[in-house]
Amino acid sequence: MNTENFYVTTPIYYVNDKPHIGHAYTTILADVLARYHRSLGEDTFFLTGTDEHGQKVQKAAEKRQMDPKQHCDETVVRFQELWRKLGITNDRFIRTTEEYHKKVVREILQELYDRGEIYKAEYTGWYCVGDERFFTEKDLVDGKCPECGREVSAIKESNYFFRMSKYQDWLIDYIQTHPDFIQPSFRANETLGFLRKKLSDLCISRPKSRLSWGIELPFDPDYVCYVWFDALINYISGVGFHRNQEEFEHWWPASYHLIGKDILTTHSVYWPTMLKAIGLPMPRTIFAHGWWLTGNTKMSKSLGNVVNPMDMVERYGVDAFRYFLLSEMSPGNDANFTEEAFVARYNSDLANDLGNLLSRVLKMTLRSGGVIQPPAELTADEAELNAEVDKAVAAMESCLLAMKFDQGLAAVMNAVRAGNRYMEKTAPWSLAKKGELARLNTVLYTAADALRRVAVLLAPVMPSKMADLGAALGYNRNDFAALKISDLKTKKSDLAGRTVQDCDALFPRIQFEAAKEAEAKPAKQEKAAKAAKPAKAAAPAGVVELIDIADFAKVQLRTAKVIEASRVEGADRLLRLRIESGGEERQIVSGIARWYTPESLAGKSIVIVANLRPAKIRGIESAGMLLAAKEGDTLRLVTTDGEIASGAEVG
Ligand code: MSP
C-alpha cells in the first residue's frame, strides 16, 4: 500500500464544456502540488483527464449530428491543448472512453453484482438532466433540483442500484475518525450534515431507451452505467487497477483528490462507499476548493463573464497567470477574478518586488565584472536576510502540506521584499563608488543567493520564469529547473564563481489604466467598484483591439476645469480633484500624486471620461476619469490646445 508516494488527481472534466478558469485552477493547483512534491524528492504521480459519457455529451453530439465518440475526440483536444499551454505536467491523461477504463468499470460492476452489492428494482423519482442525478420527493427544494435549482422530471423505471445505504454508519464513523479525509474541515461537516438524512441506495444504471452513450452493464445489455459511477473509477483505473497490481499498489490510495465544492457529495459519499464495497482503502484527502467568481458574481455563460484562461495566458503569460491563481485564492474559499486585480498583483509582486531585486543584483554585478564573488565577512544585515529566506523555505513547506499556497507565496514575497530592503540599506552602488570591494562582493552574493533560493521556491508555480531567473544568475536553465526545495536544506550554495547574464525585464510592468486604480484600491472597496463596472474587463494597453466607431461613441469625453485638488489620507498615489464640466461639479479620484502636486492642478483645463459609472476608490466616490498620457515613468495630463469652455465635447 502507498504510504510515501504522492498521487494527486483532478476531477475529469466534461469533454463538451469549453475549459474555463475553474478547470484551469484545479489543474494548475494539482500541477503545483505535484511539482512541489517532486521538488521535495517524493515519487509523484499526477492524473487528469476527461469524463466522456452521459447525457450531456450525447446531447451535444446529437446537436452536431455526430457520433458521440467522434465528438469527444474533437473536443478533448481543447483540454489537452490548454494543459500544454499552462505547463501542466500530468503523468497520465485518462479518457473514460478508453477500452481499458471501460473494461475496469465492467469488471467492478460484475463483481459487485455477483456479490449482491448491486440489485435491480423499480424506481419512481425525480431526475435532473443537467446534473444527471435522481432525487426523491423529499430531496427537492420547492419542487426543483436541490443542486442547481432547475426543473426536474418525474421518472418511473426499472433500474440497478448500488447498496450505498448500508455503508452510511461506517462512512459517518470514518469521517469522524479521519480528520484529514475531507478538507477543509467545514466540508467534512457539510458531508456529515448530508449524512444526517437517511442515505438512499444509488441508482447506477440508465435504460438504453433513454440514454445509450455509456458503458453497457455486463449483466444487462439494455442498460448503460450511470456516468458518475463510471467517472469516479478513473481514479483507480488510471493507475493500473486490474491491470498492473504492482503499479496500482505503488500509487493507491491517492494522496489528494482535488475537486470543486460543487462535486463534494459525489466524492465524499458515493466514492468512499464504492471503494468500501470494492474492498479498497480510502484516499488520504479529498480537498474541495471554492469557486472563482467574476466581480463577486458567479461565472456563467448567460452573464458572459466566464474567464477564458487561454486569453489570460496570451495577454500576460502563463507563469503570471499561474502565480495569480495560486496567490489570490485561499484554497477552500471562493475568490474573485478581475483583470484589474490581476494586473495590480502582477505589477506589485512580480514587476516591482521580484523584478526589481533581480534587475538591481544583475546591474550591480555586471558593473563589478559580471562574476558573482564569494562573500567576505558576514554582518547582522546578511543574517537578517538569510533568516527571512529560511523562514520562507519553512513556510512554503508547511503551507504546502496544509494546502495554503497563498500564505506560502506571501512568505516568499516577504523574503523578496526583505531582499529589496537589504539592497537599500547596504547600498552596493555606494560601496562600489567608495571602492569597498570585499563588502560589495558580500552584499551582491547575499542578495543573489536570496534570489536563487526564492526562485527554487517559486519554480513550481512559475517554472519558466524561474528558469529564466536561474539563467540570469549564470545557471544552465535545465540544471536550475532541476534544483529541488530539498536541496535548499541539504546542499551548499554553488553560486560563487557564476557569470551573470543580462536579460530583459523578467516581468515587464503592465500599463493598464484601470489597473492603476485597482492597485491603489484595497480589496474591500474593490468589491463595490467592481459591482459598478461592466462585467467584461477592457483589453490592456499594448493589445490592439479594433473597435467600431459606435463603440467609441459610447465614451463621452469632455473638457473640464479643475477647481481644486487635495491629497487622499493614507493613499500616497491618489489625489482627489474637484472639477467643473459644463456647469456641473463632480469629484474624481486619480492616481496621479506622483506627478502632480494638488496646488499645480487648480485651474487646469483637462479632459475627462464623463460617462464612466461612479466607483469608490479608498472609500471615496469617483465620478469619471481624467485622461493622461504615460510612458515609462513619465505621466502628463491631456489638456486642450488653448482656451475652450469646460464641458465641450472631445472626439
Ligand atoms: N465530470 C465531472 C467530474 C467527475 S470527477 C470523477 C465534472 N466536470 S466539470 O467539468 O463540470 O467540472 C469540473 C470541475 O470544475 C469541478 O471541480 C468544478 O467545481 C470546477 N469548476 C467549475 N466552475 C468553477 C469555478 N467557477 N471556479 C472553480 N471551479 C469551478 O463535474
Side-chain angles (χ1 to χ4, degrees), residues 170-185:
W170 163 82
L171 182 58
I172 293 173
D173 181 63
Y174 191 88
I175 296 172
Q176 284 171 339
T177 50
H178 294 79
D180 284 345
F181 183 46
I182 302 171
Q183 282 287 327
S185 54

Side-chain angles (χ1 to χ4, degrees), residues 59-247:
K59 283 213 165 134
E62 272 164 11
K63 223 164 139 191
R64 297 177 71 201
Q65 295 178 318
M66 198 179 252
D67 165 64
K69 177 63 170 50
Q70 195 189 342
H71 167 76
C72 293
D73 290 346
E74 279 186 25
T75 45
V76 69
V77 181
R78 296 176 188 165
F79 285 90
Q80 291 168 331
E81 177 77 352
L82 179 63
W83 300 161
R84 206 178 47 72
K85 283 233 158 96
L86 291 178
I88 303 301
T89 55
N90 54 303
D91 295 283
R92 170 140 158 62
F93 187 99
I94 189 166
R95 300 180 56 187
T96 52
T97 48
E98 283 169 29
E99 282 313 316
Y100 166 66
H101 169 79
K102 292 197 285 187
K103 181 170 164 282
V104 174
V105 173
R106 277 196 294 266
E107 284 165 359
I108 290 175
L109 284 166
Q110 186 67 56
E111 194 188 316
L112 295 183
Y113 182 68
D114 293 346
R115 283 204 264 121
E117 295 275 353
I118 288 175
Y119 64 94
K120 191 173 187 182
E122 171 129 308
Y123 177 84
T124 1
W126 299 91
Y127 185 67
C128 171
V129 180
D131 286 319
E132 304 197 32
R133 281 176 62 185
F134 284 100
F135 297 98
T136 59
E137 184 83 41
K138 66 178 176 4
D139 291 331
L140 304 184
V141 175
D142 298 331
K144 304 233 167 82
C145 172
E147 291 290 328
C148 66
R150 278 176 286 199
E151 294 295 336
V152 285
S153 15
I155 271 189
K156 182 173 183 186
E157 63 191 21
S158 282
N159 261 312
Y160 287 88
F161 291 83
F162 162 52
R163 292 192 193 280
M164 188 162 74
S165 61
K166 84 177 206 204
Y167 296 107
Q168 179 161 11
D169 291 342
W170 163 82
L171 182 58
I172 293 173
D173 181 63
Y174 191 88
I175 296 172
Q176 284 171 339
T177 50
H178 294 79
D180 284 345
F181 183 46
I182 302 171
Q183 282 287 327
S185 54
F186 63 91
R187 298 284 175 215
N189 290 337
E190 204 176 303
T191 307
L192 288 170
F194 177 85
L195 288 169
R196 247 179 252 131
K197 273 194 291 183
K198 200 178 151 10
L199 203 55
S200 327
D201 286 343
L202 181 66
C203 177
I204 55 103
S205 64
R206 299 292 180 262
K208 274 196 188 161
S209 52
R210 195 151 59 76
L211 170 74
S212 59
W213 182 235
I215 301 175
E216 191 179 284
L217 296 189
F219 41 83
D220 192 337
D222 289 339
Y223 291 85
V224 295
C225 178
Y226 168 43
V227 67
W228 269 101
F229 196 89
D230 155 6
L232 287 160
I233 289 174
N234 94 86
Y235 298 136
I236 51 178
S237 68
V239 283
F241 187 62
H242 278 198
R243 178 186 52 183
N244 182 338
Q245 189 63 9
E246 202 184 323
E247 180 195 351

Side-chain angles (χ1 to χ4, degrees), residues 589-602:
V589 178
S590 177
I592 55 170
R594 265 182 70 199
W595 297 275
Y596 290 90
T597 59
E599 306 72 51
S600 66
L601 288 171

Side-chain angles (χ1 to χ4, degrees), residues 249 309 491 615:
E249 285 184 6
K491 289 190 186 156

Side-chain angles (χ1 to χ4, degrees), residues 10-18 20-26 49-52 56 79 96 227-228 230-235 258-264 266-267 271 289-294 297-300 306 329 334-335:
T10 72
I12 48 172
Y13 304 108
Y14 287 126
V15 77
N16 50 315
D17 273 354
K18 227 169 129 192
H20 59 69
I21 191 169
H23 304 125
Y25 175 70
T26 323
T50 39
D51 192 352
E52 304 194 354
K56 281 186 203 158
F79 285 90
T96 52
V227 67
W228 269 101
D230 155 6
L232 287 160
I233 289 174
N234 94 86
Y235 298 136
L258 299 182
I259 58 167
K261 63 181 183 181
D262 54 318
I263 53 175
L264 179 68
T266 47
H267 282 80
W271 183 225
H289 63 71
W291 276 57
W292 279 99
L293 311 170
T294 3
T297 326
K298 195 172 166 181
M299 285 185 202
S300 82
V306 179
M329 180 179 264
D334 291 346

